Amino acid sequence: MPSGDRRDAVRAIVSAGQRELVAELERLDGGGRFGRSGRTRLLENGDVFERAVVSAAFSDEFFAAGLSVVLHPRNPYVPAFQAHFRYREAADAWWFGGSVDLLPCYGFASDATHFHRVLKNHCDTLDPAFHAQAKRACDDRFRLPHRDEARGIGGILFDHLSLPGPDGWRRSAAFTAAGIAAIAPAYFPIVRRRKDLAYGERERQWQLYRRGRYVEFTLVHDAATAVQADAEAILTALPPLARWESEFTPEPGSAEAELASFLVPRDWAAETPVTAG
């Protein structure tokens, strides 16, 4: 496929992904609507999402394209979510990449199993061995090393996907487009299940504390990426409210304390499905 055709196809994948996710998220939220700032679509103070960002980016310098999705829900029982899909091309070289991960404040095994099974089913369309590699890469990447702590419960991460053969580009592009389409079935059922659960100030403060970990990772451990990216887009994707507290320790035996063991990497997709709860 000629380079110009490849670039047009990638633009179409990213633009369609942004357009469809914005529409689906507005339906899911019920009350909020996305505004536009350049190629970034931003929803704030919605019924379900305190902040939701769906950003498309394109660069013709060495042709690059990307779609970023960052969702900060209002209810502490709804996990935050992040995904980023990208494409790079220079001369005859090209590759796709992507990451999807879930960041809960409270651990629900049914949510984790569902999320990871949807992603595994997606990965299996490429290669049955691909999911284990992509999950391990995600677990390794999204950590706070100085805390020896995972940012969330992981998902998948792949980079430099450039399948060989005359049909390699089309297959790589189709897999990436299907990954964008997998966001809705992987995440939205969890949102619907948790968004109306009752919560109080304790749960809200814990949510803000966990958001502080997300900010910490983004601004400290993801600094190399941040330097290369648009600063406004990075800051827009941060949660609207977060908190930090030195030496904070949840009450032993509490749901907040249990999150630490929940964040330890495990093969959620292989576990026996549990009743939603």
Side-chain angles (χ1 to χ4, degrees), residues 50-204:
E50 201 165 357
R51 176 172 288 170
V53 181
V54 185
S55 179
F58 303 97
S59 171
D60 289 322
E61 184 177 354
F62 53 92
F63 192 71
L67 178 69
S68 295
V69 183
V70 182
L71 306 174
H72 298 292
R74 185 174 298 281
N75 191 313
Y77 289 113
V78 179
F81 173 89
Q82 177 170 296
H84 180 57
F85 292 90
R86 54 201 172 273
Y87 176 75
R88 300 290 185 271
E89 179 179 301
D92 293 330
W94 55 264
W95 56 266
F96 291 87
S99 63
V100 181
D101 69 306
L102 197 67
L103 298 84
C105 298
Y106 292 91
F108 294 97
S110 57
D111 295 350
T113 300
H114 167 82
F115 183 77
H116 282 279
R117 286 197 168 199
V118 172
L119 295 182
K120 183 180 186 304
N121 290 340
H122 164 58
C123 290
D124 286 352
T125 65
L126 186 68
D127 183 335
F130 189 81
H131 176 257
Q133 302 167 10
K135 181 184 183 300
R136 182 168 57 252
C138 188
D139 289 338
D140 292 344
R141 174 71 179 90
F142 295 120
R143 295 187 61 81
L144 290 91
H146 72 284
R147 297 185 184 277
D148 190 25
E149 176 184 300
R151 190 179 73 171
I153 63 166
I156 58 172
L157 183 150
F158 62 94
D159 217 351
H160 291 85
L161 176 67
S162 181
L163 297 175
D167 204 30
W169 192 93
R170 185 196 64 78
R171 292 174 57 220
S172 301
F175 178 77
T176 304
I180 296 171
I183 290 173
Y187 180 61
F188 290 6
I190 297 171
V191 176
R192 295 188 183 98
R193 187 183 300 159
R194 307 294 170 197
K195 66 184 180 66
D196 295 321
L197 294 181
Y199 67 91
E201 185 61 18
R202 170 175 172 161
E203 290 81 8
R204 174 62 168 172

